[in-house]
Amino acid sequence: MSPLTQAAGGKASSAPIMGRDAEPTIFELSQPGRSSFQFRTTGIQAWTAEEMFDARFLADSKVPLAEVSERDLVAHVTRLSHRQFSVDLGAYPLGSCTMKYNPKICDTIAGLPGLAGVHPGAPAFLTQGWLEIMVTLEKALCEITGMEAATLQPAAGAAGELTGLLLMRAYHEANGDIRRRIIIPDSAHGTNPASVTLGGYEVTTVPSDDRGCVDLAALKAVLGPDVAGIMLTNPNTLGLFEEDIAEIAAAVHDVGGLLYYDGANLNAIMGVVRPGDMGFDIVHMNLHKTFATPHGGGGPGAGPVAVSSRLVEFLPGPRATEVDEGVFDWVMPPRSIGRVHGWHGNSLVLARALAYIEIHGGDGLRRVSERAVLNANWIRRRLSSVFDVAFDRPCMHEVVLSLASLRKEHGVKAIDIAKRLMEEGFHAPTVYFPLIVDEALMIEPTETESVQTLEALAQAFEVALDDAINNKEAVLAAPRTTPVGRVDEARAARQLVQTFDAR
Ligand SMILES: *Cc1c(COP(=O)(O)O)cnc(C)c1O
């Protein structure tokens, strides 16, 4: 057996590796002297590394890189890609994360050489088109959210949150006002309290009431002159619209606090209601959830932050600005909190978002949201006869089930049902979030799925439930059909093995 086939687990390297067999690492496929390209000899004498660089700058030993042919490399990467689940492959109802299908035309536009090939340090007079894209996107985002101006710099939702908190701090300090606390509902996304702590504030938690909304009396009880602001998600992480939003806004403003809107899930409300009209001062948006950039796996995102007029002068900078009619430049706001990104933000995510907005138009964006809400309610109604819905009233773009009774009666947990769904060809929904729902299982079908796909998803849930009751062992062993089975998540987190020793 050749070393290559040995490395590939005894299989010829060209055979697709299916099922549970491990794909060898690229280093295991490596053969000394093999390479992915060959240039014809031109006859021109090439310089050696020793001739080009001072010996001090050269490594002592050869860098251990894999040596493979282009054919083996492509086969390896393609085999790996077949071991994944993705938004392009099927429904991905991961609540809170908005994993929807993203139109390919947005990728095509973001990939145009005139956009993708520009160095971020290029001067403004050479990049007028790029600056115009940023100014146009900022305007569109402000129109969608009902705000005055926005920064496009933050690289993700959480980065937007920290930016928003720094803006709150700058605003209060400019008024000679030292405030310590930020109020967060107990249903909030985990990044909210983390950002508050990073921003140097203390978290005060307010409970939710039996409608799944902020408990207004409890909120009023914790308000005071040391409250810098409140961070709210609306619709909240239970997928429910905060009904008392106007009263909450008035109460927080009454004590001099600011209102921060976690708009990660803007796809629930576009074209229907605007955070600015609800009284919010700061909004972050996740362009990688709502506007055509898939996320997950640590890929680039964008978390622009839009603000009301009283916060514009504090925005991060420099900002792309139309300084004269049709002339664009970088401008630093007068009392800017400074940069929150090395350059201008994740620009190609911004380009995709503008493409998405322009393609849909205002009316199209409203239909995106209406459809997202319709799909979530369809699945809620369809499943409510067999599962407990945590708060069974009309939801927004996502719905939360509680599997507490299933656990009590049959010893099957939310995570077991999620794993069993994977065998039916669906990505698992979010489990154990929000924290306030026992055995939570959160479904966000998104607007991009058809009613046939929703029906198939509902049937997969029924199959999983039937197994939970009648064939428990199967559910506890799931997933049995994926390249990787049930992993020990605690051990995976504690014993990180991130490197492969190439020697
Ligand atoms: C996803 C999400 C965030 C965090 O966004 P990242 O881009 O992952 O940092 C914050 N809040 C809510 C409600 C979210 O759904």
Side-chain angles (χ1 to χ4, degrees), residues 96 156-158 161 189 191 233 262 264-265 286 288-289:
S96 183
E161 291 170 25
H189 194 267
T191 49
T233 312
D262 180 335
N265 302 301
N286 278 26
H288 48 293
K289 286 180 183 172

Side-chain angles (χ1 to χ4, degrees), residues 155-172:
E161 291 170 25
L162 179 60
T163 304
L165 288 155
L166 296 177
L167 287 167
M168 276 196 193
R169 176 179 290 282
Y171 171 81
H172 288 307

Side-chain angles (χ1 to χ4, degrees), residues 208-468:
S208 306
D209 59 17
D210 53 14
R211 299 165 306 160
C213 290
V214 171
D215 183 330
L216 196 59
L219 169 67
K220 287 184 173 163
V222 296
L223 285 176
D226 63 337
V227 168
I230 184 170
M231 290 182 91
L232 267 188
T233 312
N234 195 17
N236 64 28
T237 58
L238 294 163
L240 302 174
F241 196 82
E242 290 288 349
E243 290 168 3
D244 301 323
I245 192 65
E247 230 181 306
I248 293 172
V252 175
H253 281 154
D254 268 355
V255 297
L258 295 173
L259 272 89
Y260 182 100
Y261 186 100
D262 180 335
N265 302 301
L266 213 58
N267 60 326
I269 61 160
M270 286 186 299
V272 183
V273 286
R274 307 192 306 170
D277 300 335
M278 297 179 215
F280 282 89
D281 304 284
I282 307 169
V283 184
H284 93 255
M285 293 151 263
N286 278 26
L287 300 191
H288 48 293
K289 286 180 183 172
T290 305
F291 301 103
T293 291
H295 78 295
V305 173
V307 296
S308 58
S309 53
R310 54 181 167 163
L311 291 165
V312 177
E313 58 180 334
F314 302 105
L315 279 174
R319 295 172 55 213
T321 308
E322 188 167 11
V323 288
D324 208 344
E325 214 183 307
V327 182
F328 301 89
D329 205 352
W330 294 109
V331 177
M332 201 71 182
R335 304 167 90 175
S336 175
I337 60 167
R339 281 187 172 279
V340 295
H341 191 285
W343 293 101
H344 316 305
N346 282 331
S347 55
L348 295 176
V349 178
L350 304 177
R352 270 196 204 89
L354 183 59
Y356 186 83
I357 291 169
E358 295 280 352
I359 289 162
H360 283 81
D363 193 46
L365 291 180
R366 182 172 53 77
R367 276 184 279 120
V368 162
S369 288
E370 287 173 353
R371 179 83 180 263
V373 172
L374 178 65
N375 277 359
N377 279 289
W378 192 96
I379 206 86
R380 178 181 61 83
R381 282 294 297 274
R382 177 70 176 70
L383 291 178
S384 63
S385 56
V386 279
F387 286 93
D388 294 330
V389 178
F391 293 88
D392 200 6
R393 60 185 179 90
C395 59
M396 297 296 288
H397 61 305
E398 56 197 1
V399 59
V400 183
L401 308 179
S402 170
L403 272 52
S405 63
L406 190 68
R407 186 195 56 208
K408 248 175 250 137
E409 286 158 31
H410 299 280
V412 171
K413 297 190 282 191
I415 191 155
D416 302 320
I417 295 291
K419 300 282 187 200
R420 180 65 183 81
L421 282 173
M422 293 163 75
E423 295 180 357
E424 300 298 311
F426 291 96
H427 191 281
T430 295
V431 288
Y432 303 111
F433 181 78
L435 303 175
I436 54 176
V437 173
D438 194 15
E439 290 295 332
L441 201 151
M442 183 187 219
I443 309 164
E444 179 176 5
T446 85
E447 71 280 3
T448 55
E449 300 310 332
S450 68
V451 71
Q452 286 76 21
T453 302
L454 297 185
E455 175 57 31
L457 175 63
Q459 286 178 15
F461 266 99
E462 286 169 351
V463 167
L465 182 64
D466 187 61
D467 263 4

Side-chain angles (χ1 to χ4, degrees), residues 21-98:
D21 293 342
E23 170 68 14
T25 67
I26 194 74
F27 288 102
E28 287 167 328
L29 292 175
S30 179
Q31 291 292 303
R34 209 164 268 178
S35 88
S36 289
F37 61 87
Q38 260 169 359
F39 290 127
R40 73 190 165 88
T41 311
T42 58
I44 297 171
Q45 181 79 46
W47 285 348
T48 63
E50 286 76 11
E51 284 166 339
M52 281 197 289
F53 301 105
D54 192 314
R56 282 179 300 151
F57 302 125
L58 296 177
D60 307 331
S61 56
K62 218 172 148 225
V63 180
L65 292 177
E67 297 174 273
V68 290
S69 69
E70 180 171 331
R71 203 271 164 275
D72 284 345
L73 176 64
V74 169
H76 170 68
V77 173
T78 305
R79 282 195 301 266
L80 285 178
S81 76
H82 285 216
R83 297 165 74 91
Q84 308 293 334
F85 192 87
S86 70
V87 287
D88 285 353
L89 200 58
Y92 206 131
L94 192 65
S96 183
C97 294
T98 315

